[in-house]
Amino acid sequence: MSRNQGFTPSHEPLRHDQSLELQSEHTTGPFSFLNPTRAHYRHSDLPSARVSRSSTAPAEISEDGLDGREQLASGIHFKWRSRDNRKGRHTLMVDSTQDASSAQYLTPQSTSKLREVARCILRMGTDFRYWDVSWLVAVIFTLGSVVWVINAFFVWLPLVQPNTEFNNEILVGGGVTAFIGATIFEIGSILLMFEAVNENRSGCFGWALVKILEGDDEKGAKTKVVPDHENCGHHHTNKKNLVGKSNDGSDEGDKAWVWFPSVLELKTHYIRELGFLACSAQLFGATVFWISGFTALPGVNNKMSQGLLDGIYWTPQVVGGSGFIVSGLLFMLETQSTWYTPAISTLGWHIGLWNLIGAFGFTLCGALGPAYLNSGAEYEASLATFWGSWAFLIGSAIQWYESLDKFPVEDIGKPE
């Protein structure tokens, strides 16, 4: 059996939850020599669900009589994904039905519906989860992308509309914003690595099952599925600090916070973990790219010879941008069931795609840099920064949305 078709015993998700049964045929990943990135589970111990009395007979519940945010379902499944696990997300797959007599569950509506999407977008302006490292990563990258968009206007707009240029706009405005943007990206990349090495290793189902009864009669009872915030094992449930334990303390074997994995863990697990490799490429790219941000500062950039500019200003942009390209590509592949099948229905795939586009823009800018004295190369290099920074901004905004959507529901009819 190839490595992507099974978990090692110490890293099998949800191994402590006896009510969840791993569907081995759905355990997979894009590469046979790397760890699995997705798995499916089904409930095998539903009688353990909590019991709730209802004044409305469950058998009489119809599609029209449901809460506007609920739906009937004939079956439920849990989808584990390595990216979701890092981000503290719990994906529920439901087999929705309109037949109340055959429905066994009441589940939340699909989070891809327009109303649910609008609610999550609204939370982006009202919900500030500063204790959640995934939220911090997303917001920091969004802020950094905004700074790079401003930088792009400073360096590109004077070439398009020369009459708008003010004194030292490209040198001072462009140089200072490049340094700030590169520094913000570096901070975000460091936090991204912390997120990667502090994944929830035991997994977390994240949903509570409540059996709804009419009186003492269990006939026709339905099981209501609701988010289980209290028993979530991910760190973001602990609002007291950024680097502490989760609220449930379910797995005493896991450390509260890891600054860096051990050599043994690197050799046996993380070197085969696609998400960790993507985060490592991102950190490498951001660190090298920061050199360009520093050498863009006024007083540094305008004091260097052309050869020095090519060596420590333009070259780090190419090398750092290449790191971003690798990172974006790996983040896309992490969400895919195979290396050649796009996961267009997954938020993480689109985040990786837009970051990949942005990375190509930043790399192209650096590649054209040595020919900057040519007006055409100068224009194209500045333009590449412009569209690249907008692509990063779109990807970061989607990541911000993802960080708040902790309980996604997929209405898929049947598991993949």
Side-chain angles (χ1 to χ4, degrees):
M1 182 176 69
S2 58
R3 190 180 181 98
N4 68 336
Q5 293 180 330
F7 296 96
T8 57
S10 60
H11 289 92
E12 181 180 334
L14 303 163
R15 58 189 179 274
H16 301 300
D17 195 331
Q18 301 301 317
S19 66
L20 290 171
E21 180 180 338
L22 176 64
Q23 305 296 287
S24 301
E25 66 273 18
H26 295 298
T27 301
T28 185
F31 299 108
S32 61
F33 55 89
L34 296 180
N35 295 333
T37 57
R38 56 170 58 199
H40 288 184
Y41 292 80
R42 73 174 180 86
H43 267 276
S44 58
D45 189 25
L46 290 177
S48 64
R50 297 199 306 265
V51 177
S52 175
R53 309 293 174 181
S54 173
S55 60
T56 302
E60 298 177 356
I61 295 177
S62 66
E63 186 84 3
D64 296 334
L66 290 174
D67 182 298
R69 302 186 66 179
E70 292 180 340
Q71 64 180 344
L72 296 169
S74 59
I76 61 171
H77 312 267
F78 177 68
K79 179 186 285 187
W80 179 91
R81 287 184 290 225
S82 55
R83 180 181 178 89
D84 287 348
N85 190 46
R86 288 198 311 276
K87 302 292 181 181
R89 305 176 80 231
H90 321 80
T91 302
L92 184 71
M93 302 185 298
V94 302
D95 303 327
S96 63
T97 180
Q98 295 184 359
D99 184 2
S101 60
S102 65
Q104 302 178 48
Y105 306 94
L106 292 176
T107 70
Q109 289 277 356
S110 169
T111 48
S112 63
K113 289 184 177 295
L114 184 60
R115 181 182 298 179
E116 298 301 320
V117 172
R119 284 194 177 100
C120 194
I121 292 175
L122 180 62
R123 289 205 303 273
M124 291 173 68
T126 59
D127 197 348
F128 306 102
R129 303 184 182 185
Y130 56 87
W131 60 87
D132 181 358
V133 67
S134 299
W135 182 87
L136 282 176
V137 166
V139 171
I140 286 172
F141 275 120
T142 302
L143 177 61
S145 299
V146 169
V147 173
W148 277 111
V149 168
I150 296 172
N151 168 271
F153 275 106
F154 279 142
V155 300
W156 183 62
L157 190 58
L159 304 179
V160 181
Q161 296 290 337
N163 60 310
T164 65
E165 183 177 6
F166 57 82
N167 187 39
N168 287 328
E169 178 178 358
I170 296 177
L171 176 64
V172 178
V176 172
T177 52
F179 174 73
I180 295 173
T183 302
I184 294 175
F185 270 23
E186 176 71 5
I187 295 172
S189 300
I190 292 172
L191 289 177
L192 197 65
M193 279 300 299
F194 287 153
E195 179 189 66
V197 299
N198 285 278
E199 59 179 343
N200 187 291
R201 302 174 192 178
S202 60
C204 173
F205 176 50
W207 298 88
L209 305 179
V210 182
K211 184 169 289 187
I212 305 175
L213 303 180
E214 170 64 15
D216 295 325
D217 185 11
E218 293 197 19
K219 184 179 180 180
K222 299 194 187 309
T223 302
K224 187 172 184 177
V225 186
V226 295
D228 190 5
H229 299 279
E230 293 183 1
N231 295 312
C232 176
H234 288 101
H235 168 70
H236 70 268
T237 56
N238 186 353
K239 301 181 180 181
K240 296 180 180 179
N241 55 65
L242 179 65
V243 293
K245 297 180 180 179
S246 60
N247 278 338
D248 72 334
S250 56
D251 194 349
E252 295 181 357
D254 286 349
K255 298 178 181 179
W257 182 263
V258 177
W259 292 105
F260 198 79
S262 67
V263 175
L264 179 62
E265 288 176 322
L266 280 174
K267 290 181 178 179
T268 59
H269 176 67
Y270 286 107
I271 198 66
R272 304 293 188 105
E273 189 73 13
L274 197 50
F276 176 82
L277 296 176
C279 294
S280 299
Q282 172 70 30
L283 180 59
F284 169 79
T287 302
V288 175
F289 199 88
W290 185 86
I291 299 173
S292 291
F294 177 78
T295 54
L297 286 170
V300 178
N301 187 272
N302 57 332
K303 301 295 184 181
M304 293 189 292
S305 65
Q306 184 61 44
L308 201 54
L309 278 171
D310 293 345
I312 63 174
Y313 178 64
W314 296 116
T315 298
Q317 287 193 41
V318 175
V319 177
S322 298
F324 294 155
I325 290 175
V326 173
S327 174
L329 183 60
L330 292 181
F331 277 131
M332 290 176 64
L333 290 170
E334 184 189 17
T335 65
Q336 300 180 186
S337 56
T338 61
W339 66 266
Y340 53 84
T341 307
I344 57 176
S345 63
T346 305
L347 283 177
W349 187 85
H350 291 276
I351 294 168
L353 174 63
W354 285 106
N355 285 343
L356 178 63
I357 295 172
F360 273 117
F362 278 30
T363 305
L364 180 60
C365 175
L368 292 171
Y372 209 71
L373 295 179
N374 179 286
S375 60
E378 180 184 12
Y379 179 89
E380 292 298 335
S382 300
L383 179 59
T385 300
F386 183 81
W387 56 259
S389 59
W390 276 104
F392 273 125
L393 180 57
I394 294 172
S396 299
I398 300 174
Q399 189 172 359
W400 187 353
Y401 176 99
E402 178 194 45
S403 72
L404 295 173
D405 186 24
K406 298 295 189 186
F407 295 91
V409 178
E410 297 181 4
D411 188 356
I412 42 83
K414 294 293 181 182
E416 301 170 350

